[in-house]
């Protein structure tokens, strides 16, 4: 079974608008972390935001926020006030505390911001 | 700090050739890992190491070897390259004791096997 599912292969958003990128996950580990990474066309992986499974509040980092709904096992990324430079691939990933403690990635969402 | 560095940036191999992808970090991170990214997919774990002298297999280890003789370096060896190993390879490191335990990624190596 897929541990991380990103159901939106591609998304379009107008500049200055907000956009939500979906991510659902599957784990039986009670302690885990959820991450979002941005991959621009240049190819590097850029860490955006982190949410721990025991965190009570949704994580925020500047224009990025993570809408964490634990019961639904979802961790959606919200980008407010989109900018042209936000055009990139976005990956949701999970680290489980048991086992390898490495990241398991979803297949990604390509976001295109239109002027 | 240079962070995580990878060499080479690009490499073309013929089927059956061997080579080593280099990865180094200067952040004194205990945890290092190798991922591969195929077109249209997320990253998949090849091998990882929780410290010098300790390595283990990830999700897709076949055809690859690793060793970790120092904290800083974590080379990935392709034993006999195959076209199926054409991919972008990322090395990452992290400090397990940190609150977030975020992984810092190198810039990647784009490998083509003909």
């Amino acid at each position: 079974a897929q541990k991380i599912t990103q159901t939106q292969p591609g998304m379009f958003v107008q500049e200055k608008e907000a956009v939500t990128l979906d991510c659902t996950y599957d784990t039986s580990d009670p302690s885990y972390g959820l991450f979002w990474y941005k991959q621009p066309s240049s190819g590097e992986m850029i860490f955006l935001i982190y949410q721990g499974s025991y965190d009570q509040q949704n994580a925020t980092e500047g224009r990025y926020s993570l809408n964490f709904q634990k019961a639904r096992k979802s961790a959606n990324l919200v980008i407010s006030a989109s900018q042209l430079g936000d055009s990139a691939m976005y990956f949701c990933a999970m680290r489980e505390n048991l086992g390898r403690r490495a990241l398991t990635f979803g297949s990604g969402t390509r976001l295109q911001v239109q002027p | 700090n240079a962070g995580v560095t990878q060499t080479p940036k690009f490499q073309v191999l013929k089927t059956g050739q061997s080579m080593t992808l280099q990865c180094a970090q200067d952040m004194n991170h205990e945890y290092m890992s190798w991922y591969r990214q195929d077109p249209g997919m997320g990253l998949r774990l090849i091998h990882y190491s929780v410290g010098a002298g300790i390595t283990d297999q990830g999700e897709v280890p076949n055809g690859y070897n690793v060793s970790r003789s120092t904290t800083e370096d974590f080379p990935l060896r392709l034993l006999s390259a195959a076209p199926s190993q054409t991919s972008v390879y990322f090395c990452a490191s992290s400090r397990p004791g940190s609150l977030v335990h975020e992984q810092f990624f190198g810039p990647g190596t784009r490998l083509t096997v003909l």
Side-chain angles (χ1 to χ4, degrees):
Chain A
Q2 291 270 40
K3 287 205 168 189
I4 296 285
T5 303
Q6 295 181 254
T7 57
Q8 306 154 314
M11 291 279 287
F12 289 91
V13 65
Q14 291 292 122
E15 202 177 1
K16 298 190 179 72
E17 291 188 349
V19 62
T20 297
L21 307 184
D22 294 341
C23 173
T24 57
Y25 61 92
D26 183 29
T27 181
S28 55
D29 188 341
S31 179
Y32 53 90
L34 296 157
F35 300 77
W36 279 91
Y37 282 85
K38 173 184 178 181
Q39 187 177 44
S41 57
S42 50
E44 70 267 33
M45 296 292 289
I46 301 168
F47 166 72
L48 294 178
I49 196 166
Y50 165 84
Q51 179 85 40
S53 59
Y54 293 120
D55 293 342
Q56 297 293 321
Q57 307 241 350
N58 285 345
T60 60
E61 288 287 348
R63 294 185 298 111
Y64 304 108
S65 60
L66 201 153
N67 184 0
F68 180 47
Q69 297 188 44
K70 195 170 182 177
R72 297 179 62 184
K73 293 190 175 177
S74 76
N76 298 339
L77 177 70
V78 181
I79 306 175
S80 63
S82 298
Q83 301 172 356
L84 295 177
D86 294 334
S87 294
M89 282 290 287
Y90 288 81
F91 291 98
C92 180
M94 176 174 65
R95 171 182 53 78
E96 294 164 295
N97 269 6
L98 300 177
R100 299 185 183 119
R101 307 192 75 193
L103 293 176
T104 301
F105 284 83
S107 55
T109 296
R110 180 170 298 281
L111 176 67
Q112 295 189 57
V113 180
Q114 297 176 319
Chain B
N1 283 354
V4 181
T5 58
Q6 290 183 238
T7 55
K9 282 188 165 35
F10 302 93
Q11 183 69 50
V12 178
L13 292 178
K14 293 181 180 175
T15 296
Q17 287 185 315
S18 63
M19 79 158 294
T20 299
L21 307 186
Q22 301 291 346
C23 174
Q25 53 89 11
D26 60 0
M27 297 175 281
N28 203 30
H29 284 170
E30 299 98 327
Y31 190 100
M32 297 185 74
S33 50
W34 276 102
Y35 296 85
R36 61 177 286 174
Q37 183 180 26
D38 299 320
M41 295 180 68
L43 281 66
R44 291 183 293 167
L45 182 69
I46 305 171
H47 284 287
Y48 69 100
S49 168
V50 298
I54 307 168
T55 64
D56 207 344
Q57 295 182 352
E59 185 186 349
V60 288
N62 292 343
Y64 308 94
N65 270 0
V66 292
S67 59
R68 184 101 179 265
S69 54
T70 67
T71 299
E72 294 78 21
D73 300 298
F74 190 43
L76 178 73
R77 296 183 191 83
L78 278 70
L79 308 172
S80 176
S84 60
Q85 294 178 303
T86 293
S87 191
V88 180
Y89 291 83
F90 287 96
C91 179
S93 75
S94 63
R95 184 166 58 87
S98 65
L99 183 65
V100 173
H101 189 180
E102 73 186 79
Q103 298 214 9
F104 295 84
F105 285 86
T109 293
R110 187 174 294 273
L111 175 68
T112 302
V113 182
L114 303 174

